[in-house]
């Protein structure tokens, strides 16, 4: 059901009354548990079958896929945290919700779908990373991290504006708070709970019980790890290369230093470790001191040093995702024990994808596959029949209309996403679905120096335009070049498909009301 305008509050309120009463009578509308991690690559989830995930399995996240669905084409609109979160909460593209870059504020005059769900009689709660500059609105309860948050003994901002440092590992603490809120909610109403983890964001500080995990594991280098980005000007100018001492710092990122040397203290990550209590701090430093001694003894150089950095990155990342996976399992088990699981839409996703060494990189931002895609798995409430692998293209602007639709609440007409309910309802997906998506990244100049760009991705092709202080087009045939190593823009054989894609791109720009540059 679509309503004419988001700000036409009268019709919304009128429609809401009926829905609320219905809810009070039947109390049967499904709950929504939306778990979103940070920077979790689908390549690191075993349900996706990629090498990192298979070497460091995620059995609990995999359960969602086994009992529900795995989306293989789940895209973000702007591969960065705050912009992604703004797309989620408003159902609008960055140019409409105002949050184009990290520091730019979301347009607070836009309605958050949490407000609409509240009006529709849902209880709404948010725990964990929020990352938008303004405080959350439309939540009966929230407890959020400060900015990016801290892994160890994180500080939370509570709803009354006070702050407190809480003991424990961030991923566990967030889950404790989530379970506590579910336990104390009003049991007569359905709920939506957003559980937003800090994990597995840089700089990958593990839960201490997993410090020693994966240390014997050797992760294979992706086949395009030594990519030199030929024919891809913007890629040549980024600053997110594992090999680069500037981009991936040996102390800050890989935690290698000369023990006993004050250089350890120059790493700004040290202050994050210092949040631990004395006993745990000692445990942490003892472990990384011994690795650092070993590193020092080896005198690594050149490719050996780069491969060593890659292994450290993979191992610490895998440790952090291990706790994430445990906690997804905890929440699922809790819901099952509480008898809530079968009437809950259980969602696991990340704010965007991440590079696990593909093209030689870490971080995200680019419209290339690893960061345009994000993991998405859903376990459906009873009554929705779809299962297995879903190939339809979905995007993070689709959550708002989907959740409103599931709640039986009106969907404002100007939301730019689509409700996914038609995809979820039947065993077979609908015959007609979107066959192209629009992407736009704005955060430049900034950390990692990825140029501004926008583009279109269809089932088979991707056309990208890098602009601002560069003017470069790229075209990829994903069928013959899934790793996007060969830019085929500007070749005689690709002129026709380029023209067609340009036309489609302009159509999308008109459809989404994208302002001209
Ligand atoms: C921090 C990180 C960057 C990362 C951005 C955005 N640097 O600035 O590596 O790209 O966050 O990440 S760090 O030194 O502070 O770790 S996002 O997920 O929040 O968008
Ligand atoms: Ca992120």
């Amino acid at each position: 059901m679509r309503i004419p305008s988001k700000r036409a509050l009268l019709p919304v309120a009128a429609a809401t009354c009926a829905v609320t009463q219905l809810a009070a009578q039947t109390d049967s509308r499904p709950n929504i548990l939306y778990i979103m991690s940070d920077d979790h690559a689908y390549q690191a989830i075993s349900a996706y079958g990629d090498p990192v995930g298979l070497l460091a399995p995620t059995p609990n996240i995999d359960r969602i896929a086994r009992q529900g669905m795995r989306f293989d084409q789940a895209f973000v609109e702007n591969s960065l945290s705050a912009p992604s979160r703004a797309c989620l909460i408003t159902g609008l593209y960055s140019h409409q919700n105002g949050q184009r870059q990290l520091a730019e504020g979301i347009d607070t005059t836009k309605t958050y779908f949490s407000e609409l769900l509240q009006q529709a009689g849902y209880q709404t709660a948010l725990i964990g990373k929020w990352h938008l500059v303004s405080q959350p609105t439309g939540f009966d309860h929230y407890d959020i991290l400060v900015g990016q948050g801290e892994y160890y003994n994180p500080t939370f901002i509570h709803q009354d504006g006070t702050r407190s440092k809480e003991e424990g590992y961030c991923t566990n603490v967030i889950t404790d708070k989530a379970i506590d809120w579910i336990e104390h909610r009003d049991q007569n109403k359905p709920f939506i709970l957003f559980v937003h983890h800090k994990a597995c964001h840089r700089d990958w500080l593990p839960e201490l019980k997993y410090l020693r995990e994966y240390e014997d594991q050797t992760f294979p280098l992706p086949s395009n790890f030594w990519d030199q980005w030929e024919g891809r000007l913007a890629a040549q100018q980024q600053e997110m290369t594992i090999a680069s001492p500037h981009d991936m710092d040996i102390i800050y990122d890989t935690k290698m230093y000369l023990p006993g040397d004050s250089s350890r203290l120059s790493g700004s990550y040290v202050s994050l470790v210092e949040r631990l209590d004395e006993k745990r701090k000692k445990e942490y430093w003892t472990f990384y001191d011994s690795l650092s001694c070993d590193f020092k003894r080896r005198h690594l150089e050149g490719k050996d040093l780069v491969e060593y950095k890659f292994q450290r990155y993979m191992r610490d990342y895998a440790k952090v995702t291990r706790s994430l996976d445990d906690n997804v399992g905890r929440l699922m088990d809790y819901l099952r024990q509480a008898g809530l699981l079968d009437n809950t839409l259980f969602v696991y996703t990340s704010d965007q994808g991440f590079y696990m060494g593909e093209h030689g990189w870490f971080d995200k931002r680019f419209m290339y596959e690893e960061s345009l895609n994000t993991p998405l798995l859903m376990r459906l409430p009873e009554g929705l029949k779809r299962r297995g692998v879903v190939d339809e293209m979905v995007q993070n602007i689709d959550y708002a209309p989907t959740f409103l639709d599931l709640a039986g609440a009106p969907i404002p007409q100007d939301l730019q996403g689509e409700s996914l309910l038609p995809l979820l309802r039947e065993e077979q997906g609908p015959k007609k679905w979107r066959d192209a998506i629009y992407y736009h990244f704005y955060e430049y100049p900034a950390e990692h120096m990825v140029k501004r760009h926008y583009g279109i991705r269809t089932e088979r092709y991707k056309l990208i335009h890098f602009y601002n202080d560069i003017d470069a087009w790229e075209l990829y045939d994903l069928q013959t070049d899934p790793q996007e190593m060969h830019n085929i823009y500007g070749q005689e054989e690709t002129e026709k498909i380029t023209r067609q894609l340009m036309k489609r791109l302009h159509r999308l720009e008109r459809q989404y009301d994208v302002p001209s540059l």
Side-chain angles (χ1 to χ4, degrees):
M1 177 182 21
R2 289 254 167 190
I3 59 166
S5 159
K6 195 150 37 146
R7 279 296 173 193
L9 282 178
L10 268 178
V12 177
T16 300
C17 277
V19 175
T20 312
Q21 278 167 26
L22 184 73
Q25 286 160 33
T26 64
D27 194 32
S28 64
R29 285 179 297 170
N31 307 306
I32 301 163
L33 182 66
Y34 177 86
I35 308 178
M36 183 163 72
S37 53
D38 199 344
D39 295 358
H40 198 181
Y42 61 87
Q43 309 92 292
I45 293 178
S46 36
Y48 278 95
D50 286 290
V52 185
L54 293 177
L55 285 170
T58 49
N60 291 297
I61 297 173
D62 294 3
R63 271 205 273 163
I64 313 173
R66 232 182 5 259
Q67 297 171 18
M69 305 154 72
R70 184 188 88 195
F71 289 76
D72 279 8
Q73 301 207 82
F75 303 112
V76 293
E77 188 261 324
N78 181 353
S79 188
L80 205 57
S81 166
S84 226
R85 288 159 208 270
C87 289
L88 155 73
I89 205 73
T90 61
L92 299 171
Y93 279 103
S94 305
H95 62 272
Q96 294 281 9
N97 68 42
Q99 187 90 43
R100 290 182 184 79
Q101 308 194 43
L102 279 179
E104 222 171 10
I106 189 170
D107 177 351
T108 48
T109 65
K110 301 290 178 192
T111 307
Y112 294 178
F113 81 87
S114 48
E115 299 174 71
L116 300 177
L117 278 179
Q118 256 182 337
Q119 289 173 23
Y122 267 61
Q123 284 172 94
T124 58
L126 163 73
I127 317 262
K129 182 173 173 182
W130 170 243
H131 209 199
L132 301 179
V133 180
S134 48
Q135 291 306 293
T137 49
F139 293 96
D140 297 318
H141 172 77
Y142 68 79
D143 210 355
I144 56 174
L145 296 169
V146 184
Q148 295 282 11
E150 298 102 359
Y151 279 108
Y152 299 138
N153 300 333
T155 299
F156 281 82
I157 307 175
H158 314 298
Q159 208 153 0
D160 61 6
T162 59
R163 294 177 180 217
S164 58
K165 184 175 170 184
E166 315 238 339
E167 203 187 314
Y169 186 66
C170 194
T171 314
N172 300 333
V173 176
I174 287 173
T175 308
D176 292 344
K177 284 175 181 283
I179 291 175
D180 188 62
W181 181 80
I182 300 173
E183 263 177 358
H184 294 97
R185 79 197 190 283
D186 175 352
Q187 302 207 357
N188 294 314
K189 285 181 172 181
F191 68 83
I192 179 161
L193 170 59
F194 298 79
V195 180
H196 288 190
H197 287 289
K198 178 203 169 50
C200 34
H201 194 276
R202 195 180 180 190
D203 49 350
W204 317 296
L205 299 184
E207 187 176 356
L208 295 193
K209 73 173 181 192
Y210 290 136
L211 268 185
R212 284 166 181 78
E213 212 69 21
Y214 306 113
E215 287 298 328
D216 298 331
Q217 194 79 261
T218 302
F219 292 87
L221 287 176
S223 58
N224 60 355
F225 183 81
W226 298 107
D227 190 2
Q228 292 301 300
W229 319 296
E230 199 186 321
R232 289 155 286 160
L233 274 184
Q236 288 164 19
Q237 294 173 50
Q238 48 60 43
E239 295 183 357
M240 44 190 258
T241 303
I242 294 169
S244 155
H246 167 273
D247 304 353
M248 182 176 266
D249 185 75
I250 198 78
I251 300 176
Y252 181 76
D253 289 303
T254 55
K255 310 171 183 77
M256 292 302 105
Y257 45 83
L258 308 181
D261 186 314
S262 61
S263 63
R264 177 168 102 185
L265 302 173
S266 71
S268 59
Y269 96 96
V270 170
S271 61
L272 300 171
V273 178
E274 293 293 311
R275 296 181 67 88
L276 287 168
D277 62 36
E278 289 307 317
K279 186 172 154 265
R280 292 189 175 90
K281 229 185 314 191
K282 195 161 168 243
E283 196 184 333
Y284 181 96
W285 289 125
T286 306
F287 176 71
Y288 283 103
D289 277 357
S290 80
L291 284 182
S292 295
C293 285
D294 175 60
F295 170 69
K296 190 183 166 194
R297 264 196 307 274
R298 293 190 198 201
H299 299 291
L300 298 171
E301 280 177 22
K303 284 196 164 180
D304 293 340
L305 175 60
V306 176
E307 291 192 19
Y308 181 86
K309 282 172 82 180
F310 172 76
Q311 293 304 331
R312 288 255 44 87
Y313 164 43
M314 290 295 116
R315 287 173 188 162
D316 287 341
Y317 188 99
K319 294 172 197 181
V320 171
T321 53
R322 174 77 175 263
S323 304
L324 196 53
D325 185 71
D326 288 350
N327 279 284
V328 170
R330 264 182 79 201
L331 262 177
M332 201 190 249
D333 292 343
Y334 173 78
L335 286 186
R336 190 186 297 282
Q337 279 153 21
L340 293 166
L341 188 60
D342 289 339
N343 194 31
T344 298
L345 172 63
F346 194 103
V347 181
Y348 181 80
T349 188
S350 169
D351 62 344
Q352 12 68 202
F354 214 67
Y355 294 91
M356 307 301 303
E358 299 84 0
H359 301 286
W361 296 337
F362 67 108
D363 213 66
K364 52 263 178 176
R365 298 160 194 260
F366 277 108
M367 196 189 164
Y368 302 132
E369 287 300 273
E370 291 81 1
S371 48
L372 173 65
N373 275 276
T374 194
L376 177 62
L377 306 116
M378 289 187 188
R379 187 186 192 281
L380 302 180
E382 266 165 5
L384 298 179
K385 302 202 189 91
R386 191 84 182 263
R387 297 286 181 276
V389 175
V390 175
D391 281 322
E392 284 94 342
M393 297 180 156
V394 303
Q395 207 166 10
N396 54 350
I397 47 168
D398 296 334
Y399 293 121
T402 304
F403 298 162
L404 289 168
D405 208 4
L406 192 67
I411 303 170
Q413 210 168 46
D414 51 356
L415 289 203
Q416 294 177 309
E418 295 293 325
S419 166
L420 302 180
L421 274 203
L423 281 191
L424 310 182
R425 250 187 219 118
E426 304 300 332
E427 280 160 23
Q428 302 294 323
K431 290 217 164 53
K432 241 179 110 44
W433 190 252
R434 74 156 70 86
D435 55 7
I437 56 120
Y438 174 75
Y439 179 87
H440 203 141
F441 176 80
Y442 304 84
E443 172 110 340
Y444 178 88
E447 196 176 5
H448 301 304
M449 296 299 270
V450 174
K451 306 276 184 189
R452 293 184 188 189
H453 60 289
Y454 62 89
I456 180 173
R457 187 203 190 278
T458 63
E459 287 289 338
R460 175 157 181 192
Y461 293 101
K462 190 183 289 179
L463 179 69
I464 315 176
H465 183 214
F466 292 91
Y467 69 96
N468 189 37
D469 59 354
I470 186 174
D471 180 10
W473 287 87
E474 295 183 8
L475 172 67
Y476 298 97
D477 181 342
L478 299 169
Q479 215 168 71
T480 58
D481 178 25
Q483 292 184 314
E484 298 160 294
M485 301 292 283
H486 307 288
N487 175 12
I488 52 173
Y489 181 86
Q491 301 178 0
E492 211 179 306
E493 320 78 79
T494 59
E495 267 174 23
K496 191 167 158 226
I497 184 67
T498 306
R499 263 197 313 277
Q500 286 168 2
L501 288 165
M502 290 274 187
K503 236 162 119 182
R504 294 286 307 280
L505 176 60
H506 294 321
R507 226 189 304 149
L508 285 180
E509 287 171 338
R510 278 194 302 276
Q511 181 187 337
Y512 296 131
D513 230 350
V514 181
S516 43
L517 295 173

